[in-house]
Amino acid sequence: MEKRKKIYEGKAKILYETDNPDLLIQYFKDDATAFNAAKKGTINQKGIMNNKISSKIFEYLESKGIPTHYEKMLNEREMLVKRVQIIPIEVIVRNIAAGSLCKLLGLEEGLKLACPTLEYCYKEDKLNDPMINEYHIRALKLAKDEDIETIKKYAFKINDLMKEFFKSLSIDLIDFKLEFGKFKGKVILADEISPDTCRLWEVGTGKKLDKDRFRRDLGNIEEAYQEVLARVTR
Ligand code: UDP
């Protein structure tokens, strides 16, 4: 696979074209940002760990019937992916209250939600990724109705699958963020799934094994990501 022009550089990843117009190389960086890049840093080896963790999770989800952009891992920091048109919406699913939901609704962190919730945020950094609903999605033509339905269906299925997957590794899946794209007319899961995009708490101890260690300066960030990687690949 020949790596060609850089087409996009985001906060945590870079995308390169390849000699195949349908495929891109997704390169994982060590850079970490939080609070819409107000806090910046690096987490040693993060790119490698997130590439490996994400690859495992995409393989698992594919094996359970979820279409994803994942093709294969090329090397420690690079994943071959399908070239999708990203739908500019972040889809957040929650099982336990944490982060922005606690702030929004005045909830105690750790409160078990009576059922999983789903939120949409408009991917627009200069607006701080504001929460929107399906009417906004329609009004701004961010996605077609049928694609919204597909996204919802996949998001809850992915939640069920990932909850079970992590539970078997003695990790509770608190919440996570997904991004979807269109490939040859179909909605598929894109981006990454990693401790950067999920909240993961160790069963029993409640120890945070995710980016909250960076957001809140809890220390031992790299160790936490390594712990997730070790469990996911064992
Ligand atoms: N999340 C993400 N990218 C974002 C915003 C959120 O990956 O731009 C993830 C975050 O890691 C957490 C979940 O989505 O697992 C819910 O995040 P929340 O809305 O609580 O926001 P935060 O506390 O990160 O501001």
Side-chain angles (χ1 to χ4, degrees), residues 90 92 94 98-100 175-177 196-199 215:
E90 298 191 338
I92 294 173
R94 303 176 189 269
S100 70
D175 58 32
F176 57 95
K177 184 262 301 178
D196 271 11
T197 65
C198 302
R199 284 196 171 89
R215 293 189 188 97

Side-chain angles (χ1 to χ4, degrees), residues 5-11 13-16 123 125:
K5 201 171 83 212
K6 183 199 280 194
I7 56 163
Y8 174 82
E9 177 155 6
K11 292 170 210 150
K13 297 185 293 293
I14 306 173
L15 291 174
Y16 297 93
K123 256 172 79 78
D125 280 342

